[in-house]
Amino acid sequence: MDTSKLVEKVEEFFDLSKKKQHKKHDKLLKIVHKLEKKQSTLEQKLQKEGQVDAGSSRYQDLQRELRVISELISKAKHNDPGD
């Protein structure tokens, strides 16, 4: 799934009322799982790209995308209504 779609889904979830968030908790867990898979893939790509050229624009784009994914995971876990 595209990063922008995942961002959109997380934002939609946190726009819901607390009651609705509880009802859709499983959906949040699936989104977090997808984000974690995406994060792992990005870390691998970043490592490979860094070996080639750590100053390239592709490397910088991957770093930015990884930062966004990491922040989303953190936000989702911090605001998890299942806790």
Side-chain angles (χ1 to χ4, degrees):
M1 185 177 284
D2 187 24
T3 303
S4 60
K5 292 265 189 198
L6 290 170
V7 169
E8 196 175 297
K9 287 187 177 284
V10 170
E11 288 175 352
E12 286 174 9
F13 180 83
F14 289 116
D15 286 341
L16 298 172
S17 68
K18 291 292 181 185
K19 187 176 181 180
K20 287 186 180 181
Q21 284 182 10
H22 266 331
K23 288 183 179 180
K24 296 190 178 203
H25 183 253
D26 288 340
K27 196 172 197 176
L28 174 67
L29 294 178
K30 288 178 184 178
I31 292 169
V32 168
H33 179 71
K34 288 179 183 179
L35 285 169
E36 288 173 338
K37 285 174 57 176
K38 183 77 170 176
Q39 181 182 30
S40 177
T41 302
L42 283 172
E43 287 170 345
Q44 291 171 358
K45 287 180 181 178
L46 194 62
Q47 187 177 22
K48 287 179 184 176
E49 188 66 29
Q51 291 173 352
V52 175
D53 183 8
S56 71
S57 62
R58 173 148 170 77
Y59 182 82
Q60 292 172 3
D61 289 344
L62 288 171
Q63 277 186 317
R64 280 191 289 273
E65 189 173 359
L66 181 60
R67 191 173 324 120
V68 168
I69 295 290
S70 298
E71 289 172 4
L72 280 173
I73 291 171
S74 177
K75 179 181 178 182
K77 287 183 177 180
H78 177 60
N79 294 314
D80 186 354
D83 289 344

